[in-house]
């Protein structure tokens, strides 16, 4: 049994095999966290993906007869959290689904089509708004809507008596583990996973996150029970993740450089490596990513802390390479702010593709620091030497901001 507090249990599903979560690489898998509060009106906070239902049901049965569940709080409709509601209702058909107004709309669109299967039309909804409280016996649950963190329907649930914030996707990590608490594993690992999660899921919604943090500041929080990964339990860890969310939502950055490239015949690669050496010798922290080897979701994670990006591509059929196009399109959706970029690459006989490349970098939210560095076919020694001034361009931009 996974007891979190007296009468409160983790009843989630560990997805050890998950490797991609709609485009985001998840080498450590994930969990879908569901929590059971045993009170006069037993309440389940969120469910799990449909294929995790049996595991969740077993965990519930270890604690109570699932027919006793009176409320299923659906903090968020995305199917990693709502995908088992229908199956669970077959065990507790009278349970009410507690959700935001948008949650009701979304759940109906997901699970109750006009041609809904027998029984599925009978879902009972209890719609709540920010500040509403639900009495479940000895405990009160208070709801906090958090629209666009990261869907319109998203909300969190605060257990007033136990001082637990059931935060749904916020503060989560895609991390499969037999441990349940963030302080049970290496801190660097879990913070890195939380950062990757924020960058790939939450990044576009900084303004909305700041509003949620403001509301959360008024709460006394002893546990943050996320819907993915590990629970934040230690006071210093709760403080740290709240501070990091504030920093990330404010689009703060450090004077660090990320070089990202793809290459056909090593010319763009050699340009990337020369700039890496120059920047490193210039005393500026720098990382380099090869899009043939590195996943775009790992590159995107660097956007959280790095201010400068050098994007490089060879030209193929008058276009940037498809890996670069894919990454820039992904970044465009994630809307980074206050970040600077320089483009570079090798071409054969026409530079027209670089125009589109530069436009894509700008559309992805980056301000260009200067003219792109483009070299015909194979860079010679003087071509490579000409790239050394990237250090002064970066330093000048860094000092100005
Ligand atoms: Fe974990 Fe937005 O679902």
């Amino acid at each position: 049994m996974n007891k979190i507090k007296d009468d409160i249990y983790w009843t989630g599903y560990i997805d050890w095999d998950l490797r991609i979560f709609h485009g985001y690489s998840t080498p450590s898998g994930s969990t879908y966290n569901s929590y059971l509060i045993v009170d006069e009106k037993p309440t389940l906070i969120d469910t799990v993906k449909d294929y995790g239902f049996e595991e969740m049901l077993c965990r519930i049965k270890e604690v109570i007869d699932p027919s006793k569940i009176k409320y299923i709080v659906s903090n968020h409709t995305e199917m990693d959290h709502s995908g088992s509601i229908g199956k669970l209702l077959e065990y507790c058909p009278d349970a009410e689904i507690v959700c935001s107004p948008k949650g009701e709309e979304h759940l109906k669109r997901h699970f109750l089509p006009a041609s809904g299967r027998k029984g599925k039309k009978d879902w009972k909804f209890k719609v709540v708004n920010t500040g509403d409280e639900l009495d479940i016996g000895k405990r009160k649950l208070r709801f906090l809507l958090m629209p666009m963190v990261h869907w319109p329907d998203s909300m969190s649930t605060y257990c007033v008596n136990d001082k637990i914030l059931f935060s749904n996707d916020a503060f989560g990590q895609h991390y499969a583990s037999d441990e349940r608490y963030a302080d049970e594993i290496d801190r660097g690992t879990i913070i890195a996973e939380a950062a990757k999660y924020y960058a790939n899921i939450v990044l576009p919604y900084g303004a909305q996150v700041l509003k949620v943090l403001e509301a959360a500041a008024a709460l006394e929080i002893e546990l943050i029970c996320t819907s993915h990964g590990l629970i934040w339990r230690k006071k210093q860890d709760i403080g740290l993740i709240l501070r990091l969310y504030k920093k990330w939502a404010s689009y703060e950055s450090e004077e660090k450089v990320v070089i990202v490239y793809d290459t056909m015949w090593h010319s763009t690669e050699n340009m990337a490596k020369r700039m890496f050496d120059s920047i490193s010798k210039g005393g500026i922290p720098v990382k380099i990513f090869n899009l043939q080897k590195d996943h775009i979701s790992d590159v995107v994670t660097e956007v959280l802390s790095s201010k400068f990006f050098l994007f490089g591509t060879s030209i193929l059929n008058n276009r940037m390479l498809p890996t670069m196009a894919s990454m820039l399109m992904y970044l465009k959706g994630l809307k980074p702010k206050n970040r600077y970029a320089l483009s570079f690459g090798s071409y054969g006989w026409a530079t027209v593709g670089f125009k589109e490349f530069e436009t894509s970098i700008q559309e992805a939210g980056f301000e260009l620091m200067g003219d792109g560095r483009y070299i015909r076919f194979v860079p010679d020694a003087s071509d490579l030497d000409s790239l050394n001034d990237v250090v002064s361009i970066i330093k000048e931009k860094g000092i100005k901001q």
Side-chain angles (χ1 to χ4, degrees):
M1 268 193 276
N2 289 279
K3 189 172 173 181
I4 302 295
K5 265 196 140 183
D6 284 349
D7 298 326
I8 302 180
Y9 299 86
W10 175 84
T11 52
Y13 173 69
I14 306 174
D15 199 345
W16 296 102
D17 294 338
L18 187 80
R19 290 296 174 267
I20 287 284
F21 191 90
H22 42 59
Y24 160 179
S25 73
T26 53
S28 302
S30 193
T31 69
Y32 316 111
N33 296 335
S34 169
Y35 301 94
L36 178 65
I37 306 175
V38 182
D39 208 315
E40 287 161 34
K41 296 175 181 170
T43 298
L44 190 75
I45 311 281
D46 287 317
T47 69
V48 300
K49 268 189 182 173
D50 58 353
Y51 58 72
F53 172 71
E54 291 298 333
E55 192 170 309
M56 179 186 79
L57 186 66
C58 283
R59 295 188 200 283
I60 293 171
K61 282 181 174 173
E62 285 175 6
V63 181
I64 58 164
D65 176 346
S67 69
K68 295 190 185 310
I69 292 174
K70 291 287 182 289
Y71 296 116
I72 302 170
V73 175
S74 174
N75 278 323
H76 174 34
T77 304
E78 196 163 7
M79 287 185 278
D80 45 339
H81 310 297
S82 68
S84 290
I85 293 178
K87 287 179 185 169
L88 183 62
L89 282 173
E90 291 172 18
Y91 291 80
C92 49
D94 293 328
E96 289 182 78
I97 297 159
V98 183
C99 61
S100 67
K102 281 287 176 191
E104 181 186 24
E105 184 189 322
H106 290 191
L107 286 167
K108 285 180 173 172
R109 287 296 304 167
H110 276 73
F111 302 109
L112 304 179
S115 60
R117 297 205 312 267
K118 183 176 177 298
K120 288 202 166 186
K121 286 181 183 168
D122 302 329
W123 291 22
K124 298 179 183 71
F125 289 95
K126 187 174 194 62
V127 173
V128 294
N129 278 291
T130 291
D132 287 354
E133 291 189 344
L134 181 66
D135 201 329
I136 61 170
K138 285 179 264 171
R139 294 175 177 80
K140 275 196 175 98
L141 302 180
R142 189 185 300 154
F143 303 97
L144 169 64
L145 270 55
M146 37 185 212
M148 300 318 295
V149 182
H150 67 124
W151 274 21
D153 67 311
S154 299
M155 71 174 193
S156 59
T157 299
Y158 180 64
C159 181
V160 176
N161 311 66
D162 294 285
K163 302 181 175 62
I164 300 175
L165 182 67
F166 296 99
S167 63
N168 196 259
D169 280 334
F171 314 116
Q173 331 92 38
H174 281 314
Y175 189 79
S177 171
D178 197 33
E179 281 79 29
R180 295 273 67 80
Y181 297 97
D183 53 84
E184 293 179 304
I185 71 156
D186 172 66
R187 180 183 259 210
T189 301
I190 203 63
I191 293 298
E193 291 291 350
K196 183 170 182 180
Y197 188 93
Y198 186 96
N200 284 275
I201 305 273
V202 192
L203 186 63
Y205 309 115
Q208 293 89 338
V209 169
L210 290 175
K211 277 187 201 160
V212 171
L213 292 174
E214 202 179 315
L219 303 175
E220 203 179 330
I221 298 172
E222 288 186 359
L223 289 177
I224 298 179
C225 289
T226 62
S227 63
H228 294 290
L230 303 179
I231 296 167
W232 303 98
R233 173 172 63 178
K234 290 251 165 97
K235 199 172 175 182
Q236 64 265 36
D237 288 342
I238 291 173
L240 176 62
I241 193 66
L242 291 171
R243 282 197 305 280
L244 285 172
Y245 259 57
K246 187 166 185 189
K247 179 179 169 191
W248 296 334
S250 306
Y251 302 97
E252 288 177 19
S253 63
E254 295 160 36
E255 312 234 321
K256 298 193 294 188
V257 182
V258 176
I259 302 174
V260 194
Y261 71 94
D262 194 359
T263 192
M264 287 171 64
W265 294 106
H266 304 293
S267 291
T268 302
E269 179 182 10
N270 288 337
M271 294 172 73
K273 287 182 174 171
R274 166 55 71 94
M275 289 191 282
F276 176 88
D277 287 343
S278 303
I279 294 163
S280 181
K281 283 177 190 155
I284 306 171
V286 55
K287 284 186 181 176
I288 190 162
F289 290 86
N290 175 351
L291 288 175
Q292 290 176 22
K293 314 279 185 190
D294 296 306
H295 198 273
I296 57 174
S297 54
D298 290 315
V299 177
V300 160
T301 305
E302 299 299 322
V303 172
L304 279 194
S305 59
S306 300
K307 188 174 189 176
F308 304 106
F309 285 75
L310 308 185
F311 295 111
T313 182
S314 316
I315 290 296
L316 175 70
N317 299 326
N318 283 337
R319 306 277 179 207
M320 71 188 102
L321 289 169
T323 49
M324 181 59 69
S326 169
M327 188 195 64
L328 290 174
M329 180 59 77
Y330 187 52
L331 273 168
K332 188 176 175 183
L334 292 168
K335 300 189 180 101
K337 290 184 173 57
N338 310 330
R339 301 296 187 264
Y340 299 90
L342 202 64
S343 57
F344 67 94
S346 162
Y347 67 100
W349 48 95
T351 57
V352 62
F354 289 124
K355 278 268 171 250
E356 185 180 52
F357 181 39
E358 289 171 9
T359 302
S360 296
I361 292 169
Q362 290 171 297
E363 286 177 351
F366 296 84
E367 183 185 315
L368 292 176
M369 290 187 281
D371 294 336
R373 300 308 176 89
Y374 308 126
I375 291 172
R376 190 164 185 229
F377 287 124
V378 178
D380 61 20
S382 69
D383 289 330
L384 292 176
D385 286 345
S386 75
L387 299 171
N388 292 340
D389 72 338
V390 69
V391 178
S392 55
I393 293 172
I394 290 165
K395 282 189 172 171
E396 189 185 336
K397 202 71 192 171
I399 291 160
K400 276 183 184 170
Q401 299 307 312

